């Protein structure tokens, strides 16, 4: 038997399997497993499905009209993709296809791939002008099918642009709001170009919607469509920017969502005037709308990526100040992590925000340094953001650094050290040096002190003298502590030690349980508690019914970090000292 005959036999076998499954009512499940096991390419399998449908052996449209995401689970999109590939080649009445496509889109829910079926539906309609007319009549007559109206209009415009553009302009005046909205949206998907730019009638229609209606969805659709015209008709840039601006200003939450969405796609070609107006509108965002906040976060991140750093930082400051009581810094984690990865931008942001003194901005600076973890990396004060000749300003920043970066001792020490080098008089250096010693180096004599000593030789003579005085004072302090170690009155009793250890162990256990509840990793593995032993033994099935013994030797794993020394001697005093530094406001 030749190779060609072998391939034909395989295809016949697949057809027979699908036909048998169709007759037994198990068609969709069999289709999924055929796609996995068959050597046929997706396009070839789709052609086979279309052929079976067109010859009347199966009804593909009816079968997929019964596909439920809840029933098929993770297989849903894989099965649906086979229908999408076959759809353009199907010979079928339009009405059942319209209902089937609408069903598949609705079943997909909010998934990003929900609308892919519509693209294949457009190809199905474009294959026959009669289908377009029928689909247009169906979607116009049934408002509940209006979400497929754009697909019909887009497919029609690909065949007869003028006729279907006129249809869109008529539908924009429809009494049904959904029909009007979908008609406006369809304009954003037309194949405009420089020779075939949006007409004056189109602009007038959008401006009429903006002026005559207050529906949030309509205004949002108008703004989005106007934004899509910018790349097709640069001569109308000012008019389009004004249209977008006024539509969003008149709209509500949905219009704000569109503004945030447009910002995420900003590029070097987006007009600065439009970016400025979008940012102005985004200040109205509802802090409870997490999806919009997340898009704003990515929009700011996008501005940084295209080089509009000052614009991004200034807007981030404004929205954090305004919404800071209702939003945690983690709401803008994408942007803040981008800032964190750029040393120059990190120095700039932390200096600006701490100097500002606003509590929300200071928390954002604290997030940059810690990010919820003890990252403890060096950071410096940005000389462009501070008047180093102003003693009060330098000392204010130093106290803010101490209060907010205290638990990240290397970060605090490095920024205070950079301030020492910026300071222009001995009095300022002395005050900053006192903060570096107490509470930073006095509480963290390990890593932070090693960092400062490692930088000493590169400092100016004036700063080296301050650091020498700090070293002398620290040694005197620790010598005094060591000289009193043998005084019984200063030593806790065994009972006190035991009580404290129990208290500390209980707090650590509670913290560990809370961390476990938030762990993504623990949801992927089975937790086991080993009471004793040198290794862990598991048995792994090989798929053939045989269990293989695997032994994993246990190894030591530890994490080391410094606990502030004063925390054990005077916790309330330390807490009060840091709270004072954090709560201070800048004197204007």
């Amino acid at each position: 038997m030749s190779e060609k005959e072998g391939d034909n036999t395989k295809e016949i076998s697949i057809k027979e399997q699908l036909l048998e499954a169709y007759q037994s009512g198990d068609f969709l499940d069999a289709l999924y497993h055929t796609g996995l096991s068959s050597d046929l390419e997706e396009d070839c399998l789709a052609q086979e499905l279309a052929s079976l449908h067109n010859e009347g052996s199966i009804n593909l449209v009816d079968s997929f009209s019964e596909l439920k995401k809840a029933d098929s689970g993770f297989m849903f999109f894989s099965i649906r993709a086979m229908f999408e590939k076959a759809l353009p080649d199907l010979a079928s009445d339009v009405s059942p296809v319209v209902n089937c496509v609408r069903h598949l889109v609705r079943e997909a829910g909010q998934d990003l791939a929900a609308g892919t079926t519509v693209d294949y539906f457009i190809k199905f309609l474009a294959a026959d002008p009669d289908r377009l007319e029928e689909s247009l009549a169906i979607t116009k007559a049934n408002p509940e099918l209006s979400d497929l109206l754009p697909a019909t209009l887009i497919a029609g415009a690909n065949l007869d642009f003028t006729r279907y553009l006129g249809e869109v302009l008529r539908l924009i005046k429809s009494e049904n709001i959904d029909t009007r909205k979908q008609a406006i949206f369809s304009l954003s998907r037309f194949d405009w170009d420089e020779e075939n730019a949006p007409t004056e009638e189109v602009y007038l229609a959008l401006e009429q919607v903006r002026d005559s209606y207050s529906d949030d969805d309509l205004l949002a659709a108008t703004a989005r469509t106007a934004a899509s015209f910018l790349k097709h008709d640069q001569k109308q840039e000012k008019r389009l920017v004004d249209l977008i601006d006024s539509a969003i200003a008149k709209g509500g939450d949905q219009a704000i969502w569109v503004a945030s969405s447009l910002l995420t796609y900003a590029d070097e070609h987006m007009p600065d005037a439009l970016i400025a107006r979008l940012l102005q509108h985004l200040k109205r965002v509802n802090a409870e709308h997490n999806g919009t906040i997340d898009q704003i976060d990515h929009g700011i991140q996008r501005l940084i990526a295209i080089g509009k750093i000052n614009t991004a930082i200034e807007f981030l400051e404004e929205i954090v100040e305004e919404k800071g009581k209702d939003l945690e810094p983690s709401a803008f984690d994408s942007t803040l992590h981008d800032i964190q990865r750029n040393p120059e931008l990190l120095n700039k942001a932390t200096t600006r925000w701490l100097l500002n003194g606003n509590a929300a901005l200071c928390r954002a600076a604290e997030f940059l340094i810690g990010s919820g973890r003890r990252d403890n990396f060096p950071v410096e004060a940005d000389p462009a953001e501070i008047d180093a000749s102003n003693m009060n300003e330098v000392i204010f920043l130093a106290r803010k650094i101490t209060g907010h970066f205290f638990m990240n001792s290397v970060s605090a020490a490095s920024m205070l050290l950079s301030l020492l080098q910026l300071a222009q008089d001995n009095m300022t250096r002395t005050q900053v040096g006192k903060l570096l010693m107490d509470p930073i180096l006095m509480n963290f004599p390990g890593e932070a002190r090693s960092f400062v000593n490692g930088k000493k030789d590169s400092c100016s003579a004036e700063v080296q003298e301050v650091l020498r005085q700090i070293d002398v004072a620290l040694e005197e302090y620790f010598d005094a502590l060591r000289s009193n170690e043998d005084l019984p009155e200063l030593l806790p009793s065994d009972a006190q030690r035991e009580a404290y250890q129990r208290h500390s162990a209980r707090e650590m256990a509670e913290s560990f349980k809370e961390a476990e509840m938030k762990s993504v990793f623990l949801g992927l593995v089975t937790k086991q508690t080993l009471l004793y032993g040198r290794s862990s033994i598991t048995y792994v099935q090989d798929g053939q019914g045989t269990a293989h013994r695997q032994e994993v030797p246990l190894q030591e794993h530890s994490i080391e970090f410094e606990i502030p020394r004063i925390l054990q001697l005077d916790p309330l005093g330390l807490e009060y000292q840091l709270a004072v530094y954090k709560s201070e406001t800048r004197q204007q």
Side-chain angles (χ1 to χ4, degrees):
M1 183 172 62
S2 68
E3 182 178 347
K4 183 176 181 181
E5 289 173 343
D7 290 343
N8 289 336
T9 302
K10 182 178 291 186
E11 291 178 14
I12 292 172
S13 175
I14 290 173
K15 281 186 176 182
E16 290 176 347
Q17 291 175 24
L18 292 176
L19 283 172
E20 182 179 347
Y22 181 79
Q23 293 166 1
S24 65
D26 198 28
F27 176 68
L28 295 178
D29 187 58
L31 182 59
Y32 173 75
H33 289 96
T34 298
L36 289 180
S37 60
S38 172
D39 293 334
L40 287 177
E41 297 289 338
E42 277 190 3
D43 290 341
C44 294
L45 182 57
Q47 290 175 5
E48 291 298 328
L49 290 173
S51 176
L52 286 169
H53 173 89
N54 295 340
E55 68 188 26
S57 300
I58 64 174
N59 190 321
L60 205 61
V61 177
D62 284 352
S63 295
F64 276 87
S65 295
E66 298 176 359
L67 177 62
K68 301 286 186 182
K69 188 178 180 182
D71 297 335
S72 54
F74 68 91
M75 300 186 297
F76 175 80
F77 288 101
S78 298
I79 299 173
R80 195 184 70 158
M82 299 179 192
F83 174 77
E84 292 172 347
K85 293 280 188 179
L87 179 56
D89 298 321
L90 295 186
S92 173
D93 292 337
V94 174
S95 181
V97 172
V98 169
N99 286 289
C100 179
V101 169
R102 178 175 178 269
H103 163 75
L104 292 175
V105 172
R106 295 288 178 88
E107 279 295 309
Q110 299 299 316
D111 193 279
L112 292 176
T116 57
T117 310
V118 176
D119 294 331
Y120 292 92
F121 178 60
I122 291 174
K123 295 178 182 179
F124 168 79
L125 295 177
D128 186 347
D130 291 338
R131 291 177 180 174
L132 283 168
E133 295 297 330
E134 187 176 349
S135 178
L136 183 61
I138 292 170
T139 51
K140 286 169 62 176
N142 297 279
E144 67 274 10
L145 297 175
S146 63
D147 48 355
L148 289 182
L149 180 60
T152 305
L153 296 171
I154 293 164
N158 291 336
L159 295 180
D160 189 341
F161 190 90
T162 303
R163 184 240 189 278
Y164 279 89
L165 176 58
E167 188 66 45
V168 170
L169 295 176
R170 285 190 292 273
L171 290 172
I172 288 177
K173 300 177 182 178
S174 169
E175 294 181 359
N176 184 277
I177 288 181
D178 283 340
T179 299
R180 199 181 303 140
K181 180 181 69 174
Q182 298 297 346
I184 293 171
F185 169 73
S186 67
L187 289 173
S188 68
R189 296 285 303 276
F190 275 26
D191 288 332
W192 308 100
D193 52 43
E194 292 184 1
E195 296 180 0
N196 195 22
T199 63
E200 180 66 18
E201 290 80 7
V202 171
Y203 288 117
L204 291 174
L206 294 179
E207 290 168 344
Q208 177 68 24
V209 170
R210 175 202 60 191
D211 296 338
S212 303
Y213 301 100
S214 58
D215 181 80
D216 193 16
D217 286 339
L218 275 181
L219 293 167
T222 300
R224 185 182 291 278
T225 296
S228 72
F229 291 168
L230 282 168
K231 60 179 177 290
H232 302 300
D233 196 355
Q234 296 181 359
K235 295 178 181 179
Q236 296 281 5
E237 180 180 297
K238 184 179 184 304
R239 185 179 187 180
L240 287 168
V241 170
D242 289 340
L243 177 55
I244 298 165
D245 177 42
S246 54
I248 294 174
K250 192 175 179 182
D253 292 335
Q254 194 61 35
I256 296 297
W257 163 266
V258 167
S260 68
S261 176
L262 294 177
L263 192 65
T264 62
Y265 293 102
D267 57 24
E268 60 274 10
H269 303 298
M270 180 175 280
D272 289 340
L274 177 58
I275 292 175
R277 297 191 194 186
L278 291 176
L279 294 177
Q280 195 64 33
H281 292 305
L282 290 175
K283 295 176 187 176
R284 297 191 285 128
V285 66
N286 187 330
E288 295 180 357
H289 293 175
N290 295 331
T292 307
I293 293 292
D294 190 52
Q295 283 213 134
I296 292 174
D297 177 27
H298 290 296
I300 302 172
Q301 188 182 27
R302 182 63 186 157
L303 291 179
I304 292 175
I306 62 176
K308 298 184 181 297
I309 295 174
N310 287 333
T311 300
I313 295 298
E314 288 171 7
F315 172 71
L316 181 59
E317 289 175 0
E318 291 175 4
I319 196 169
V320 167
E321 281 191 80
E322 188 168 336
K323 308 292 182 181
K325 293 181 180 179
D326 303 313
L327 287 175
E328 291 297 321
S330 56
F332 302 101
D333 59 345
S334 296
T335 300
L336 293 177
H337 283 138
D338 273 7
I339 294 173
Q340 189 185 66
R341 286 189 286 268
N342 183 327
E344 292 183 3
L345 197 51
L346 174 67
N347 295 343
K348 178 185 182 69
T350 51
T351 306
R352 280 174 65 103
W353 296 349
L354 291 178
L355 267 177
N356 181 287
N358 176 271
L361 284 175
C362 288
R363 288 198 303 272
E366 193 172 332
F367 182 92
L368 280 176
I369 297 302
S371 302
R373 307 177 300 275
R374 291 175 56 86
D375 283 338
N376 221 12
F377 48 79
V379 61
E380 298 181 359
D382 186 347
E385 296 294 334
I386 184 171
D387 179 6
S389 64
N390 186 328
M391 182 180 72
N392 291 333
E393 188 167 302
V394 173
I395 294 175
F396 175 79
L397 177 57
R399 290 166 73 88
K400 284 294 179 183
I401 293 168
T402 304
H404 286 281
F405 296 172
F406 176 75
M407 292 303 294
N408 291 277
S409 58
V410 170
S411 301
S414 63
M415 200 166 186
L416 288 173
L417 184 59
S418 69
L419 269 185
L420 273 175
Q421 299 185 78
L422 290 175
Q424 298 181 8
D425 60 83
N426 288 331
M427 186 177 294
T428 304
R429 294 189 196 98
T430 299
Q431 294 300 317
V432 175
K434 287 181 179 179
L435 290 169
L436 178 59
M437 185 188 77
D438 180 12
I440 303 301
L441 298 184
M442 185 179 290
N443 279 282
F444 300 100
E447 191 176 4
R449 192 177 183 188
S450 297
F451 173 85
V452 172
N453 288 335
K455 296 289 185 179
K456 187 183 300 184
D457 292 342
S458 62
C459 296
S460 65
E462 294 84 357
V463 173
Q464 287 189 28
E465 175 58 25
V466 174
L467 296 179
R468 186 193 66 78
Q469 294 175 12
I470 290 174
D471 272 340
V472 170
L474 284 174
E475 288 304 320
E476 290 177 352
Y477 171 75
F478 291 127
D479 285 343
L481 286 181
R482 286 189 289 268
S483 68
N484 294 321
E485 287 181 352
D486 296 330
L487 290 177
E489 291 81 4
L490 296 180
L491 296 176
S493 66
D494 290 340
Q496 289 172 327
R497 290 173 185 265
E498 185 179 347
Y500 178 77
Q501 289 173 355
R502 286 199 302 268
H503 169 73
S504 179
R506 185 166 57 250
E507 282 191 333
M508 187 66 71
E510 290 174 357
S511 174
F512 187 75
K513 287 181 180 178
E514 185 177 349
E516 275 190 334
M517 292 173 61
K518 298 178 181 179
S519 172
V520 177
F521 178 73
L522 288 181
L524 305 175
V525 298
T526 301
K527 179 182 175 182
Q528 292 182 330
T529 302
L530 302 180
L531 299 179
Y532 60 88
R534 296 180 179 178
S535 62
S536 172
I537 299 174
T538 57
Y539 290 87
V540 180
Q541 299 288 337
D542 62 3
Q544 305 297 323
T546 304
H548 297 272
R549 185 179 186 270
Q550 291 190 348
E551 183 174 345
V552 180
L554 299 181
Q555 298 182 1
E556 182 178 337
H557 176 72
S558 63
I559 298 175
E560 180 179 336
F561 60 91
E562 281 187 281
I563 298 176
R565 295 172 61 88
I566 306 300
L567 193 62
Q568 298 186 40
L569 301 175
D570 184 15
L572 294 179
L574 177 61
E575 185 177 342
Y576 174 76
Q577 181 184 18
L578 298 179
V580 169
Y581 295 157
K582 289 182 178 181
S583 62
E584 288 177 343
T585 57
R586 188 175 180 181
Q587 299 298 321
Q588 299 296 333

